[in-house]
């Protein structure tokens, strides 16, 4: 089997990619203008017609779509085809407001699954592999997406869903799973459980993991790789744009190749909306190129990252996006400083703490307070209050160097911070309660 | 002559002490002495009991963070100056005391648990000042 799932597109020349994108964009804009009244109104308001879009160079003329638009248009307002052509919905958890429901035709599902298949092959997957899908199934896109991709590659697929970790490990051993797909925090938890069960990476056959759906750091990657004895690959996607597989990592592990035959990516200044040149850090914006049921033009993801077209050693020519450095809605402004939870996590792991933590932001006498709860490991517990207080102070100092503001660190007993089997809740912002 | 002490990390929340006490009781663990150091967030429960290894595994199995440390038990006459003569002897030997708590008072002798940074130097200093330190063979027969 090839090292690419679809070599003819994954390695096409940059000129050919751009030509293909231009051709598809013209069609997609027409499709949206004709079928999606919500977006047609936005275009009319801006005085843009489909005829103004002749190539990807005209993309900037189109209006943006935001998460707020998706909420306004809920549930059918952005539907691009008759409901009778749709075969599936997926949905966000709705934890940060009204949920988003995305629709799929059979073709949309196929293309999405192909994107996931490319990610699995890039992680070394072939039809000889046993792929354990431990993402949640159901409305969440993680399980269904990787499940479909795994089928397309021809792996023996274990549709485990998340949870019941000891059973996950048992299947892993009995059926010799070679690839695991789940959220990175769940992968870390599986690694921890493996150790608790008295097992080592040598007792399982995993070689690769495909992890996404939440932010994770390089340090966390190394931890997971060590605890499970695998190479860990990042995968990216949003329910709005189909699900995981919008972009995926190759063996170089230096960013995720965007499936550019289906998605056109831009980086903009989140404040002004201005398009920034390649290599700039800014908000990632996606335009779907061949979606039927839920086409989105210039959708603002709120993920902050960098795009790079630097030649990749894997041979793929698709542009790469960095791991999101934070989400504009995850970004907290504490005492006037921009803080991303991932920065705090980086320090915790570097200082030898568990990556299970909780950040609590509050306001006291008009000053923001930052409290960080971190679990102690058995090796770190000393008999004296002095010893623990010294640890708290030293960790607070390290975090202060990273953020520029002073947190209060609270070391807590192991397993007292709620574990996640899906997306981790790491930040509680109590300031909102006062506003 | 050191004595094994087991320390348990507990969250400073309602009911946590009751929970660990119940666990020890249900496992028929008799607590010879205990002390609690606490801050706003957490406490450290320190216990002297027989068969420390067993107690440790009971606590660990229940998910507690524990650590075993060697402490000294000093036996002095039970009067107003008891603590002072111990503290002075250790100060003179340049040994710093982390904490002290009472284990028992029997026959006009008070037995104090003393946690220091260096047990050897401390035991010698106490002996030099005429203060006896006793081992597990003594304390569990009190
Ligand atoms: Zn590559």
């Amino acid at each position: 089997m090839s090292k690419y799932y679809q070599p003819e597109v994954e390695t096409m020349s940059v000129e050919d990619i751009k030509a293909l994108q231009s051709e598809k964009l013209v069609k997609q804009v027409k499709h949206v203008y004709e079928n999606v009244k919500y977006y047609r109104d936005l275009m009319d308001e801006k005085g843009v017609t489909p005829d103004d879009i002749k190539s990807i160079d005209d993309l900037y003329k189109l209006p943006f779509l935001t998460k707020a638009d998706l909420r306004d248009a809920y549930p059918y307002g952005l539907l691009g085809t008759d409901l009778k052509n749709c075969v599936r919905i997926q949905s966000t958890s709705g934890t940060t407001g009204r949920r988003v429901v995305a629709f799929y035709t059979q073709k949309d599902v196929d293309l999405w699954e192909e994107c996931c298949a490319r990610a699995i092959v890039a992680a070394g997957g072939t039809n000889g592999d046993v792929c354990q899908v431990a993402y949640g199934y159901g409305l969440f896109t993680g399980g269904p997406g990787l499940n479909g991709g795994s089928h397309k590659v021809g792996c023996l697929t274990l549709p485990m869903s998340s949870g019941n970790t000891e059973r996950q490990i048992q299947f892993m051993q009995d059926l010799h799973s070679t690839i695991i797909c789940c959220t990175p925090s769940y992968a870390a938890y599986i690694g921890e459980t493996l150790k608790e069960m008295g097992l080592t990476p040598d007792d399982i056959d995993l070689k690769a993991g495909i992890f996404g759906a939440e932010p994770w750091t390089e340090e966390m990657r190394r931890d997971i790789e060590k605890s499970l004895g695998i190479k860990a690959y990042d995968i990216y996607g949003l329910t709005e744009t189909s699900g995981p597989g919008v972009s995926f990592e190759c063996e170089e592990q230096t960013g995720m190749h965007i499936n550019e035959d289906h998605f056109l990516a831009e980086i903009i200044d989140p404040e002004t909306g201005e398009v920034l040149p390649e290599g700039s850090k800014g908000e990632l914006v996606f335009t779907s190129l061949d979606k039927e049921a839920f086409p989105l033009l210039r959708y603002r993801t709120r993920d902050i990252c960098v795009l790079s077209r630097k030649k990749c050693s894997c041979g793929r020519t698709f542009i790469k996006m960095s791991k999101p450095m934070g989400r504009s809605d995850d970004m907290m402004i504490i005492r006037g400083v921009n803080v991303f939870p991932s920065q705090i996590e980086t320090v915790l792991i570097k200082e030898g703490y568990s990556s299970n933590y909780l950040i609590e932001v509050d306001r006291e006498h008009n000053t923001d307070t930052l409290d960080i709860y971190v679990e102690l490991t058995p090796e770190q517990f000393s008999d004296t209050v002095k010893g623990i207080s010294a640890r708290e102070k030293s960790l607070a100092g390290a975090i202060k160097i990273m953020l520029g503001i002073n947190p209060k660190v609270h070391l807590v007993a192991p397993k007292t911070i709620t574990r996640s089997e899906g997306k981790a809740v790491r930040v509680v912002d109590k300031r909102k309660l006062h506003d | 002559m050191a004595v094994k002490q087991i320390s348990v990390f507990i969250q400073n929340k309602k009911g946590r002490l009751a929970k660990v006490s119940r666990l020890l009781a249900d496992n028929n663990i008799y607590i010879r002495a205990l002390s609690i150091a606490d801050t706003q967030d957490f406490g450290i429960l320190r216990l002297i009991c027989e068969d420390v290894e067993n107690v440790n595994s009971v606590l660990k199995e229940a998910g507690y963070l524990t650590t075993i440390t060697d402490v000294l038990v000093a036996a002095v006459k039970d009067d107003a100056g008891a603590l002072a003569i111990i503290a002075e002897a250790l100060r003179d030997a340049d040994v710093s005391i982390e904490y002290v708590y009472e284990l028992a008072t029997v026959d006009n002798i008070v037995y104090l648990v003393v946690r220091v940074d260096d047990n050897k130097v401390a035991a010698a200093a106490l002996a030099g000042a005429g203060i006896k330190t006793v081992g597990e063979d003594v304390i569990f027969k009190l």
Side-chain angles (χ1 to χ4, degrees), chain B residues 102-118:
Chain B
E102 184 179 327
L103 183 130
T105 305
V106 178
D107 295 338
N108 210 29
I109 301 286
V110 59
Y111 296 84
L112 293 171
V113 176
V114 186
R115 164 88 153 99
V116 291
D117 50 7
D118 189 332

Side-chain angles (χ1 to χ4, degrees), chain B:
Chain B
M1 204 182 308
V3 170
K4 300 259 178 238
Q5 169 193 261
I6 182 155
S7 304
V8 192
F9 184 83
I10 42 175
Q11 223 62 52
N12 211 345
K13 273 190 191 152
K14 224 177 169 173
R16 295 297 160 97
L17 184 59
K19 214 171 144 197
V20 67
S21 314
R22 173 48 54 199
L23 174 73
L24 294 171
D26 289 349
N27 282 277
N28 284 321
I29 294 163
Y30 175 67
I31 303 167
R32 190 67 193 81
L34 71 84
S35 92
I36 299 171
D38 66 341
T39 70
Q40 215 179 346
D41 283 340
F42 66 88
I44 300 174
L45 173 66
R46 300 177 181 123
L47 307 167
I48 304 278
C49 11
E50 278 185 270
D51 197 1
V52 177
E53 290 307 329
N54 170 50
V55 178
N56 194 28
S57 55
V58 165
L59 288 164
K60 275 214 158 107
E61 227 157 85
Y64 287 97
L65 276 186
T66 58
T67 180
I68 297 173
T69 25
D70 285 335
V71 292
L72 295 176
V73 176
V76 286
K77 202 164 153 261
D78 183 25
D79 63 31
L83 181 58
I85 59 164
I86 292 175
E88 281 159 8
L90 293 175
R91 178 200 60 199
D92 294 345
D94 216 14
V95 174
S96 50
I97 302 174
E98 297 284 356
Y99 51 83
V100 179
Y101 60 96
E102 184 179 327
L103 183 130
T105 305
V106 178
D107 295 338
N108 210 29
I109 301 286
V110 59
Y111 296 84
L112 293 171
V113 176
V114 186
R115 164 88 153 99
V116 291
D117 50 7
D118 189 332
N119 280 332
K120 250 193 193 145
V121 177
L126 292 173
I131 301 160
K132 219 168 66 173
T133 51
V134 298
E136 292 176 3
D137 52 331
V138 175
I139 60 167
F140 294 125
K141 284 192 189 120
L142 290 174

